[in-house]
Structures are given as structure tokens and as C-alpha cells.
Amino acid sequence: MRYALMRPLRLDLDAFARASGVHPELVGRLVGLGLIEPERDVHGALWFSHAQIAEVNRIQRLRSAFALNYASVGLVCDLLDRIAALESAMRHRSRPPGDRSWT
């Protein structure tokens, strides 16, 4: 009997769809719209990282909460990412010199 010592670093389309809780066709649609960007191997197969599961979950939450189409969800995700980057930059800029606090 063999046991995996760690999770694989990347998931194929079916494993990713199962882990995300969505249909593989929806994953393909999200890739086609550019909402998630998998790696492709030399044979053209799609490979996804575990971090992209959270991206799909975020997309699904935004779509259901605001009744948006997927193109609009992409725009909202981009805007939310920009806001997070700006807030992070503001936090670092407003920190006094020599302040090494982690909060």
C-alpha cells in the first residue's frame, strides 16, 4: 500500500474541479474568460495550483452574492485586488520609521 506524504503541487482539471466544488466545464469557462490562469504542459493539459481553489471560491461567492455575470466578476476581482494593494501600500507608508510591529 502506498500513501502520499504530501499533496501534489498542482492539480489536473478534474481534481481541481472536485476540490473547487464546480463542474469541469465551468473551470474551462473561467479559464477562457481569463479569471483563472492555469499552467499548460507540452501536451496542452491544464494544471492548477491549490491557491487557485480560493480564487474560484471567491468568484463563486461574488457571482452569487451580487448576481453578476462572469465578465463583471472579473472586473470586481481586479478592483478588489487593486484596493488591497493600495491599502497595503498606505499601511507601509504611514508606519513611522523604526516601527517594527507586526500589526
Side-chain angles (χ1 to χ4, degrees), residues 3 8-9 19 34 39 41 44 57 60 65 77 79-80 82 87 93:
Y3 296 99
L9 298 178
E39 295 179 19
D41 63 13
N57 291 334
Q60 291 298 96
C77 286
L79 292 172
L80 289 173
R82 288 181 185 182
E87 287 177 341
R93 199 175 301 154

Side-chain angles (χ1 to χ4, degrees), residues 2-3 23 35 39-40 49-50 55 62 71 85 94 101:
R2 294 175 55 178
Y3 296 99
H23 196 276
L35 296 176
E39 295 179 19
R40 289 188 186 265
S49 70
H50 287 278
E55 291 178 37
L62 287 169
S94 65
S101 65

